[in-house]
Amino acid sequence: MRGRILEAARRRFLREGYARVTMDELARELGMSKKNALPAFSHQSRTRSGRHGAFRAQVAEGLGRIFEDHTLSLPERLARAFAEAVRHLRQIEKPFLEDLARFLPDVWAETERFRSETIARLLGDALREGQAAGFIRTDVPVEIMLRSFQAVAERLVTPSALMELPYTLPEMIRLVIRLLFEGMLTDAARADFRKALDAIASEGNLTP
């Protein structure tokens, strides 16, 4: 029962934000009394940081698995990593991010650190590999590419930017990644990247 309550709360939080979900609404949705739902809901409130940490770990594991799959070409790995990030972020709506930054600033700060470290670690290795293999431009240093990617993410993939701009989080991620990835790739690799994206989109895993 507690699992049902926590899952319902998670769905509502990600879609509507923390401040917009009440205990009465959750209890009504689950067809139970507020008194019975309250203990699990209180437990959920105490463990939000841990649940966000688990979500970040899932994202990192999925991306790491893709980048380490050397049966795929680098453009294919980049495209699949792109789709994996969008898959995870589809469940997150703007109100949730706004409330996360407002009510749980420590969790949001940890999320930003995670994003920066993940970009530096996974994407940095991929870019260096790509330069050696001729997939990534060599006229721009990897460090400049990484810092550019991080700077754009820090300014655009934020609650304030998402509230100001008419895009969902997955849409913003798609725009940023396509812009930056395609700018870093060589002409031949760019064609392979687009082909891989089209193949993933045809499987229903990514909206171009």
Side-chain angles (χ1 to χ4, degrees), residues 27-187:
R28 188 162 50 249
E29 178 181 332
L30 292 165
M32 60 192 307
S33 70
K34 179 178 177 180
K35 179 180 178 181
N36 289 335
L38 187 57
F41 187 77
S42 298
H43 175 78
Q44 161 78 6
S45 299
R46 292 193 301 271
T47 58
R48 284 173 184 169
S49 180
R51 292 177 69 82
H52 285 296
F55 178 80
R56 290 192 296 266
Q58 288 177 356
V59 174
E61 180 183 356
L63 294 176
R65 187 166 54 248
I66 291 168
F67 277 114
E68 292 167 7
D69 185 358
H70 291 277
T71 64
L72 302 172
S73 70
L74 181 64
E76 288 178 303
R77 276 179 275 156
L78 290 174
R80 290 188 178 278
F82 175 17
E84 176 75 1
V86 170
R87 183 179 71 82
H88 283 288
L89 296 173
R90 274 178 178 157
Q91 57 190 306
I92 299 175
E93 300 288 347
K94 292 181 181 181
F96 171 79
L97 288 177
E98 184 181 30
D99 284 358
L100 185 63
R102 180 185 300 173
F103 301 116
L104 296 171
D106 291 345
V107 175
W108 176 249
E110 181 58 35
T111 299
E112 289 189 309
R113 284 194 294 272
F114 165 79
R115 180 177 60 198
S116 180
E117 291 169 0
T118 301
I119 289 174
R121 179 170 55 86
L122 296 179
L123 186 56
D125 289 345
L127 293 179
R128 293 181 188 92
E129 176 192 338
Q131 283 190 333
F135 290 121
I136 300 295
R137 294 168 52 177
T138 57
D139 57 329
V140 179
V142 166
E143 184 63 26
I144 296 299
M145 294 183 190
L146 284 175
R147 286 180 179 269
S148 298
F149 200 96
Q150 289 169 328
V152 171
E154 288 169 5
R155 293 302 300 270
L156 285 181
V157 188
T158 65
S160 59
L162 288 164
M163 296 308 293
E164 294 170 3
L165 298 171
Y167 305 105
T168 64
L169 180 57
E171 288 170 343
M172 187 75 82
I173 294 292
R174 283 198 295 269
L175 292 171
V176 168
I177 290 182
R178 292 201 71 154
L179 171 66
L180 294 177
F181 275 19
E182 294 194 16
M184 294 185 292
L185 294 166
T186 60
D187 291 342

Side-chain angles (χ1 to χ4, degrees), residues 1-14 23 26 30 32 37-48 51:
M1 179 58 70
R2 192 176 81 178
R4 283 185 57 211
I5 297 170
L6 296 182
E7 179 59 25
R10 187 189 71 84
R11 289 196 307 267
R12 294 288 297 272
F13 286 152
L14 291 176
M23 193 65 250
L26 276 176
L30 292 165
M32 60 192 307
L38 187 57
F41 187 77
S42 298
H43 175 78
Q44 161 78 6
S45 299
R46 292 193 301 271
T47 58
R48 284 173 184 169
R51 292 177 69 82

